């Protein structure tokens, strides 16, 4: 092999030594496309020979890892994601890993770009909160055998590790609770279309109605698009019905913020004029008036399990894909119209 042409080796030097194209070297370095094992081995030998190990990316090609995990998540989609990230960082640090965070803005296109950026940093694995319509992104990661765990929004896939909470029975319980208080027209503000969490919570709502002997009415379900503004619009749409709901299930905290703002603007008293329950529980849920009755996700446990699943996949690439469902906890407060509930 010819020696490199400069004291600081480049991808061109590596390509010449390995007898491949610069594009092939780029694919090996950035993990952007599968490369034949023999070709990859030639590139790695050239990297080691040239001493192209001066940064973390190059070292990872020789040593096999950067001791870093990529996290692709929407920082605005839900207030609890900030708490989730803290749990992920804490568990990763215990195992000696650092975390690289990228914001997906909850769109498939941005998620694709952030995932590729994280892979170019040679992270050892990825934790992803799936965006609507991101199937091709996950398919690509599976095809490349990239250690990946889907977090929070569990899908129907069986070829990738996942961890999230149970949605159907828990939302059914919230709905049935309102029915037990005598409500017969229970509305729902559902989450963004294309998310399994939205579908499952809507299914849980319908299940709760059925278990309570109530008939489903399509006009009582309005999509809030998992956002504050969407929640506000859905709330107003429900109240404008000829027969508006007498109680309401809200599918996440972001939409609940919109409901609270619109209720204050319209002079609607939550818990008195309109009992409301919500899936998700944030730190201010018991500080508003009245305190919110919620179904609280075990956020710390989700983050901890996600990291552990990812490390297990990194250390044993051939293990069977696993889906973990954790149980949420009912926080019974006063927004549902009940008297204050004091834990013993």
């Amino acid at each position: 092999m010819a020696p490199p042409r400069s004291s600081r080796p480049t991808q061109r030097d590596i390509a010449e030594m390995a007898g491949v194209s610069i594009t092939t070297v780029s694919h090996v370095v950035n993990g952007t496309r599968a490369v034949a094992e023999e070709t990859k081995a030639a590139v790695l030998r050239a990297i080691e020979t040239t001493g192209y190990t001066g940064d973390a990316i190059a070292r990872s090609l020789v040593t096999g890892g950067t001791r870093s995990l990529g996290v692709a998540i929407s920082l605005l989609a839900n207030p609890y994601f900030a708490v989730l990230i803290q749990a992920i960082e804490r568990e990763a640090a215990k195992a000696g890993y650092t975390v690289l965070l990228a914001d997906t803005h909850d769109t498939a296109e941005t998620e694709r770009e952030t995932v590729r950026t994280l892979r170019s940093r040679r992270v050892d694995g990825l934790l992803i909160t799936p965006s609507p319509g991101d199937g091709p992104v996950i398919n690509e990661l599976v095809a490349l055998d990239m250690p990946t765990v889907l977090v929070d929004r569990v899908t129907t896939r069986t070829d990738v590790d996942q961890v999230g909470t149970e949605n159907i029975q828990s939302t059914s319980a919230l709905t049935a609770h309102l029915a037990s208080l005598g409500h017969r027209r229970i509305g729902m503000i559902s989450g963004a279309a294309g998310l399994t969490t939205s579908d499952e919570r809507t299914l849980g709502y319908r299940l709760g109605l059925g278990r309570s002997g109530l008939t489903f009415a399509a006009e009582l379900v309005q999509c809030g698009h998992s956002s504050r503004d969407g929640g506000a619009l859905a709330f107003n749409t429900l109240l404008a019905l000829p027969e508006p709901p007498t109680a309401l299930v809200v599918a996440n905290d972001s939409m609940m913020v919109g409901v609270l703002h619109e209720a204050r603007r319209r002079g609607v008293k939550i818990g008195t004029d309109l009992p409301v329950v919500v899936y998700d529980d944030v730190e201010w849920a018991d500080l508003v008036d009245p305190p919110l009755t919620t179904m609280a996700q075990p956020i710390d446990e989700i983050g901890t399990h996600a990291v552990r699943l990812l490390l297990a996949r990194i250390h044993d690439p051939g293990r069977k894909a696993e889906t973990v469902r954790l149980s949420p906890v009912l926080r019974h407060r006063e927004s549902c119209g009940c008297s204050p509930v004091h834990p013993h």
Side-chain angles (χ1 to χ4, degrees), residues 3-71:
R5 296 176 297 185
S6 68
S7 59
R8 184 177 180 82
T10 66
Q11 288 193 7
R12 180 181 296 278
D13 298 323
I14 295 167
E16 290 183 359
M17 294 185 70
V20 299
S21 68
I22 295 176
T23 301
T24 298
V25 173
S26 176
H27 287 317
V28 173
V29 170
N30 296 312
T32 49
R33 183 179 299 172
V35 176
E37 286 301 318
E38 183 177 347
T39 302
K40 182 178 180 181
V43 172
L44 295 180
R45 284 195 300 270
I47 288 172
E48 189 167 12
T49 300
T50 61
Y52 186 53
T53 56
D55 57 34
I57 293 175
R59 277 196 302 275
S60 74
L61 293 171
V62 177
T63 64
T66 59
R67 304 292 293 183
S68 64
L69 306 177
V71 178

Side-chain angles (χ1 to χ4, degrees), residues 19 26 36 53 65 84 103 119 121 133 166 170 203 211 238 242 246 268 289 293:
S26 176
T53 56
L84 177 63
D103 188 357
R119 285 172 52 210
R121 299 291 297 273
E166 194 286 319
S170 49
L203 178 58
R211 287 173 171 173
L238 288 169
T246 62
V268 175
D289 184 22
T293 293

Side-chain angles (χ1 to χ4, degrees), residues 174 177-178 181 253 256 260 270-272 275-297 329-343:
L174 284 174
H177 175 63
L178 293 175
L181 300 176
D253 279 331
M256 188 66 209
L260 290 173
I270 298 296
T272 303
V276 176
V277 296
V278 57
Y279 195 108
D280 278 344
D281 186 79
V282 289
E283 59 183 9
W284 47 261
D286 61 347
L287 301 178
V288 297
D289 184 22
L292 299 179
T293 293
T294 67
M295 192 63 73
Q297 301 193 64
V329 177
L330 177 65
R331 306 289 189 201
H332 190 188
R333 301 187 181 105
E334 299 167 51
S335 67
C336 56
C338 295
S339 300
V341 178
H342 302 290

Side-chain angles (χ1 to χ4, degrees), residues 101-301:
L101 179 64
D103 188 357
T104 66
H105 299 287
D106 219 21
T107 69
E109 181 178 356
T110 306
E111 181 180 317
R112 181 182 301 107
E113 295 305 315
T114 56
V115 163
R116 289 179 176 174
T117 297
L118 289 169
R119 285 172 52 210
S120 74
R121 299 291 297 273
R122 304 302 298 183
V123 294
D124 296 331
L126 288 168
L127 297 169
I128 300 175
T129 298
S131 301
D134 74 342
V137 179
I138 307 304
N139 290 341
E140 181 178 298
L141 293 172
V142 171
L144 290 170
D145 292 324
M146 181 68 185
T148 301
V149 175
L150 307 186
V151 185
D152 178 67
R153 297 165 176 172
V154 176
T155 72
T156 56
R157 302 185 69 122
T158 59
D159 57 352
V160 64
D161 293 307
Q162 308 182 81
V163 59
T165 50
E166 194 286 319
N167 291 296
I168 298 174
Q169 299 300 331
S170 49
T171 310
S172 172
L174 284 174
T175 307
H177 175 63
L178 293 175
S180 73
L181 300 176
H183 296 284
R184 292 296 174 264
R185 282 187 67 79
I186 301 172
M188 182 183 194
I189 298 180
S190 60
L195 297 178
T196 53
T197 48
S198 299
D199 294 340
E200 289 177 350
R201 290 171 195 175
T202 302
L203 178 58
Y205 159 79
R206 297 187 66 161
L207 182 62
L209 292 177
R211 287 173 171 173
S212 303
L214 303 179
T215 302
F216 171 75
E219 72 272 11
L220 289 178
V221 178
Q222 295 294 323
C223 180
H225 303 286
S226 298
S227 69
R228 169 179 164 170
D229 290 345
L233 179 60
F235 180 71
N236 287 328
T237 300
L238 288 169
L239 292 191
L241 291 173
E243 290 186 68
T246 62
L248 186 61
V249 178
V250 181
N252 77 10
D253 279 331
S254 294
M255 297 184 294
M256 188 66 209
V257 173
V259 169
L260 290 173
H261 278 272
E262 280 303 296
R264 177 178 297 179
R265 185 184 69 82
R266 298 174 61 123
V268 175
K269 294 182 179 180
I270 298 296
T272 303
D273 299 334
L274 184 68
V276 176
V277 296
V278 57
Y279 195 108
D280 278 344
D281 186 79
V282 289
E283 59 183 9
W284 47 261
D286 61 347
L287 301 178
V288 297
D289 184 22
L292 299 179
T293 293
T294 67
M295 192 63 73
Q297 301 193 64
I299 305 173
D300 280 349
E301 293 177 50

Side-chain angles (χ1 to χ4, degrees), residues 78-91:
N78 196 302
Y80 97 75
F81 281 168
V83 181
L84 177 63
I85 292 167
Q86 291 177 351
I88 289 171
E89 289 181 327
R90 184 169 56 248
E91 188 65 22

